[in-house]
Amino acid sequence: MAVDRFGRNIHYLRVSLTDRCNLRCVYCMPEDMTFRPPAELLQDDELLRLMPLFVSLGFDKFRLTGGEPTVRAGVVDLVRGMTGTPGVKHVSMTTNGVLLRTLAAPLAEAGLERVNVSVDTLNPERFHKITRYGKLEQVLDGLHAAEAAGLRPLKINTVVARGFNEEDVVDLARLTLDHNWQVRYIEMMPFGDVADFAQNQIVTQEEVMGRISAELGALELLNGGKLSGEARLYRLPGARGTVGFISSVTAPFCAACTRARLTADGRLRLCLLRDGEVDLLTPLRAGASDDELADIVRGAIWRKPWGHGLADDVVPESRVMSQIGG
Ligand code: SAM
C-alpha cells in the first residue's frame, strides 16, 4: 500500500497518454501550444512495465487522460495491455469524445470500463468558440456510441467559463432528467499561461446551482453530502441521472485525495495544483530495476503535499492542464 505522510492511501493513478489534443479549449491550453517530441514520452512498453509496479504498490484504479488520450497511436492495444495487467481493477478514460464514435466499441472490447466525456455546452456555436475548432455533433455521436458500447455509467464533465458557457449549465443539467448520466460542473483552475484567464472567468458552484435551481427546481443533496469520488452529488426533481460539483477552488477536497498523476513524459506529479514532480522516465531509461523504481515512487508518494495553495495565491506555473493530464 502506498501511504503518504498524512496517512492517505494513494491508490488512484491518472495516466496521461499524450500532451496532444484535437481541440484547444480556451481554459486548457494556449492556441499556439508546442508539444513534446514523441520520443520524449513514455512508450507503450515503458508504460506497460510501470503498470505492475504501481499495482505492487497498491494502485488499483487507473484513469487515462491527456491531452486527448484517444489521439495516441495504438490506444486500443495499449488499453488492452493495461487492463490485462494482473491486479488492475479499474481502467477508465477522460476524453473529449470527438473520436468515440469509432473508438468506443474497440475500447470497451479492450477492457475499458467507462468514460467521462467533456462537454461544456450543447450550443454548437459556443462549443466551437470554447474549443476553438470543435464540432459538437461529433461529441454527441461519441456520447451515444459510448453508451451503446456499455462504457457506463457515463459522466459528463463541464468546465464553466464566464462569457463562454455560464448560461448553458441549465441545458446540460436537463440531460439528467431523461438519461441516467452524471453531469459534473468543474470549477476552472488556474495553470501556467492560462492562469489569468481561469482566475478572471471562474464561475463558482454557488452560481451554477442557482442558475439550475431557478429553471429546473431544487437540487436534492445526495449521500448526505459525502463526496462521490471528487464530486458532491445532487438530483433534480424526478431526474434519472445526477448533477455533481467538483469545486476544487472554493471547496477543496485535498483531505480525501487518493491520487497521483503520471504525465505523458514520465513524471510523477503528486498534486495537480502544485508544481513538484518526480522523474521516472530518466531512471527507467537508465536501466533502473523494478525495486529501484518502486522506491522512487514510494518516496515521492510519502512526500505528497497536503493540498493546493490557491487560497494563498500559489498557482502552478510550470505546465498547463493538457501537459499534466487532467
Ligand atoms: N482531452 C480530454 C478531455 O477533454 O476530457 C482529457 C484531458 S482534459 C485536460 C481533462 C479535463 O480537464 C477536461 O474535463 C477539461 O475540461 C478539464 N480542464 C482542462 N483545463 C481545466 C482548467 N483550467 N480547470 C478545470 N478543468 C480543466
Side-chain angles (χ1 to χ4, degrees):
M1 189 157 94
V3 177
D4 74 3
R5 65 207 148 109
F6 304 105
R8 293 173 297 189
N9 174 11
I10 310 304
H11 63 98
Y12 175 14
L13 189 68
R14 296 177 78 110
V15 181
S16 175
L17 297 188
T18 174
D19 58 342
R20 286 164 201 264
C21 190
N22 43 5
L23 299 178
R24 292 285 181 282
C25 297
V26 287
Y27 50 77
C28 189
M29 62 165 107
E31 194 164 13
D32 58 350
M33 189 76 193
T34 38
F35 300 107
R36 301 292 295 260
E40 290 178 16
L41 305 185
L42 277 172
Q43 307 298 301
D44 288 5
D45 59 332
E46 293 170 330
L47 198 44
L48 291 174
R49 174 169 169 211
L50 289 177
M51 288 295 288
L53 194 141
F54 278 102
V55 170
S56 73
L57 291 171
F59 283 78
D60 56 1
K61 195 173 160 190
F62 298 82
R63 170 168 292 277
L64 310 180
T65 181
E68 172 49 40
T70 59
V71 304
R72 176 158 174 145
V75 64
V76 173
D77 287 338
L78 183 57
V79 167
R80 187 173 291 109
M82 295 175 98
T83 60
T85 303
V88 170
K89 291 196 190 134
H90 307 283
V91 180
S92 57
M93 181 182 276
T94 297
T95 168
N96 60 31
V98 168
L99 297 177
L100 279 184
R101 191 163 71 90
T102 47
L103 281 179
L107 284 171
E109 181 273 323
L112 191 74
E113 191 173 304
R114 51 181 205 81
V115 284
N116 290 0
V117 182
S118 303
V119 191
D120 296 334
T121 170
L122 295 177
N123 175 293
E125 285 82 44
R126 284 198 286 278
F127 185 83
H128 187 264
K129 184 174 165 203
I130 212 164
T131 59
R132 293 203 179 98
Y133 40 74
K135 292 197 175 81
L136 179 65
E137 79 253 22
Q138 292 177 329
V139 178
L140 299 181
D141 283 352
L143 271 178
H144 293 291
E147 198 163 48
L151 295 171
R152 290 189 288 250
L154 206 56
K155 296 185 185 176
I156 293 180
N157 286 345
T158 301
V159 173
V160 193
R162 180 149 336 271
F164 285 84
N165 64 335
E166 70 266 44
E167 283 153 26
D168 302 325
V169 298
V170 177
D171 282 344
L172 285 154
R174 197 176 276 118
L175 290 174
T176 67
L177 297 177
D178 296 328
H179 298 277
N180 190 11
W181 295 349
Q182 190 181 108
V183 174
R184 298 131 40 103
Y185 300 94
I186 303 176
E187 270 178 359
M188 208 160 35
M189 295 171 275
F191 294 94
D193 291 350
V194 285
D196 285 348
F197 176 90
Q199 281 171 319
N200 295 332
Q201 318 300 128
I202 189 172
V203 179
T204 62
Q205 168 175 345
E206 195 185 356
E207 178 175 337
V208 175
M209 285 185 78
R211 285 178 180 272
I212 294 171
S213 306
E215 293 226 18
L216 301 176
L219 283 161
E220 180 203 352
L221 181 65
L222 303 178
N223 307 331
K226 242 181 83 194
L227 289 177
S228 161
E230 61 275 63
R232 194 155 276 122
L233 298 184
Y234 297 79
R235 195 185 298 279
L236 282 166
R240 291 186 61 206
T242 55
V243 168
F245 291 90
I246 303 178
S247 306
S248 323
V249 181
T250 59
F253 42 88
C254 307
C257 187
T258 58
R259 47 181 104 148
R261 288 180 156 78
L262 183 62
T263 65
D265 56 355
R267 268 73 180 168
L268 194 62
R269 184 162 173 126
L270 284 311
C271 174
L272 173 63
L273 288 156
R274 290 215 186 244
D275 275 334
E277 293 172 359
V278 173
D279 183 6
L280 290 181
L281 184 70
T282 306
L284 190 152
R285 290 192 178 168
S289 68
D290 286 353
D291 284 348
E292 286 164 338
L293 289 169
D295 275 350
I296 297 174
V297 174
R298 213 180 279 111
I301 286 171
W302 180 254
R303 295 190 300 277
K304 178 175 163 74
W306 167 251
H308 70 65
L310 294 183
D312 302 321
D313 286 331
V314 179
V315 167
E317 310 274 2
S318 63
R319 303 195 195 225
V320 291
M321 185 73 134
S322 61
Q323 296 166 313
I324 302 167

